[in-house]
């Protein structure tokens, strides 16, 4: 059992967490005269380490998902959804990224979207080389879009990690504040970042003593309910559907946040 625990810790720290990279960057910064134990040096180390780590993990994740997605063209997705009914169909539809049609809210989507013509092109059988090319193109395209947000998110995380006093974060988002989940959700709304840009902020908040559920609520609030996202959605969907979406998301985020707070001792 101890052996398995040691293996898991190694995987978590050195493979997933890439702690070796942090040490390597720290040694490099020290060699050029920057003290990583200080605020400035620590922030620089945090920034470089998290940017490299997040970009690497993001590229790997997108590549794998895109490769799998290449097996599911639009026609096949429709056929799969058509064979399921009830709650199973709703769960599968959510996993495949389709939900509006199943909820019968088509009339809440703006006319110019509903009237847009869809062209179904029969997909020829792709080779492994074709699928790899498609997956790599998705990696490049996605990285171009989210990289600026990664830089912003890591910058905010580095600031929180090394410059904001721990007692301030604990006071508002820590154990003692029963409204921490709600506050974190609301604070995330005016921000705009990709989920990978939120990861370093989450790491910094956890390191400062914020509860797990609070951190998750903040991340979900930023990525799901950000004000710029709502403005863009308003151009595509009508107020009723937008309000329903926001309401469901807020309730879901708060429930998830308090649930993870309650069971944090089992997870960390």
């Amino acid at each position: 059992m101890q052996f398995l625990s040691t293996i898991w810790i190694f995987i978590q720290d050195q493979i997933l967490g890439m702690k070796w990279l942090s040490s390597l960057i720290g040694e490099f910064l020290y060699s050029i005269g920057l003290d990583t134990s200080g605020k400035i040096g620590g922030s620089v180390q945090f920034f470089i380490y998290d940017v490299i780590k997040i970009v690497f993990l993001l590229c790997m994740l997108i590549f794998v998902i895109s490769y799998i997605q290449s097996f599911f063209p639009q026609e096949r997705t429709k056929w799969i959804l058509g064979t399921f009914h009830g709650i199973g169909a709703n769960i599968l539809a959510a996993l495949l990224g389709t939900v509006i049609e199943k909820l019968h809210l088509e009339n809440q989507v703006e006319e110019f979207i509903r009237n847009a013509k869809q062209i179904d092109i029969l997909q020829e059988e792709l080779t492994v080389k074709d699928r790899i090319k498609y997956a790599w193109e998705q990696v490049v395209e996605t990285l171009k879009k989210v990289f600026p947000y990664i830089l912003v998110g890591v910058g905010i995380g580095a600031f929180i990690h090394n410059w904001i006093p721990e007692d301030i974060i604990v006071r508002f988002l820590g154990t003692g504040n029963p409204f921490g989940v709600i506050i974190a959700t609301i604070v995330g709304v005016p921000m705009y970042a990709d989920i990978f840009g939120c990861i370093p902020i989450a790491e910094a908040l956890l390191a400062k003593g914020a509860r797990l559920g609070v951190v998750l609520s903040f991340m979900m609030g930023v990525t799901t309910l950000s004000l710029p996202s709502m403005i863009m959605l308003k151009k595509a969907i009508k107020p009723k559907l937008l309000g329903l979406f926001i309401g469901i998301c807020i309730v879901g985020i708060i429930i998830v946040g308090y649930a993870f707070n309650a069971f944090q001792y089992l997870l960390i």
Side-chain angles (χ1 to χ4, degrees), residues 30-177:
Y30 181 79
S31 68
I32 62 175
L34 194 59
D35 182 13
T36 56
S37 63
K39 288 186 176 180
I40 295 178
S43 295
V44 172
Q45 182 185 20
F46 184 98
F47 184 84
I48 297 174
Y49 162 67
D50 259 40
V51 167
I52 296 175
K53 180 184 72 173
I54 291 172
V55 167
F56 175 77
L57 294 177
L58 172 63
C59 290
M60 290 293 294
L61 182 64
I62 294 174
F63 184 88
V64 172
I65 292 176
S66 298
Y67 188 87
I68 295 173
Q69 190 181 42
S70 68
F71 291 92
F72 295 92
Q74 185 178 12
E75 317 86 59
R76 185 175 300 174
T77 301
K78 288 181 179 179
W79 179 83
I80 292 174
L81 287 177
T83 61
F84 287 84
H85 303 282
I87 190 171
N90 291 332
I91 294 174
L92 184 61
L95 292 174
L96 294 175
T98 310
V99 291
I100 292 177
E101 184 177 356
K102 292 295 182 180
L103 294 176
H104 303 291
L105 293 172
E106 298 91 340
N107 64 337
Q108 292 300 308
V109 178
E110 293 294 347
E111 292 290 335
F112 73 92
I113 293 179
R114 287 194 285 125
N115 293 334
K117 294 183 178 180
Q118 295 183 355
I119 302 177
D120 289 332
I121 300 176
L122 294 177
Q123 185 193 50
E124 298 180 358
E125 192 64 30
L126 298 175
T127 64
V128 173
K129 184 178 179 180
D130 292 331
R131 298 185 193 281
I132 291 176
K133 180 182 177 183
Y134 168 76
W136 178 248
E137 289 174 348
Q138 295 305 304
V139 169
V140 174
E141 183 179 349
T142 304
L143 190 60
K144 286 180 180 179
K145 294 178 180 178
V146 306
F147 189 70
Y149 302 119
I150 292 176
L151 295 180
V152 173
V154 173
I156 295 174
F159 177 73
I160 293 173
H161 192 270
N162 291 283
W163 296 88
I164 297 181
E166 182 176 335
D167 61 325
I168 293 179
I169 293 179
V170 173
R171 186 187 314 157
F172 288 100
L173 302 178
T175 306
N177 190 346

Side-chain angles (χ1 to χ4, degrees), residues 13-26 49 52:
D13 291 344
Q14 301 301 329
I15 298 179
L16 299 177
M18 299 173 68
K19 297 299 183 184
W20 59 269
L21 177 62
S22 179
S23 301
L24 187 64
I25 294 172
Y49 162 67
I52 296 175

Side-chain angles (χ1 to χ4, degrees), residues 211-212 258-268:
R211 300 296 303 278
L212 178 60
Y258 281 114
F260 272 87
N261 273 355
F263 296 101
Q264 177 171 337
Y265 69 97
L266 295 175
L267 303 171
I268 298 182

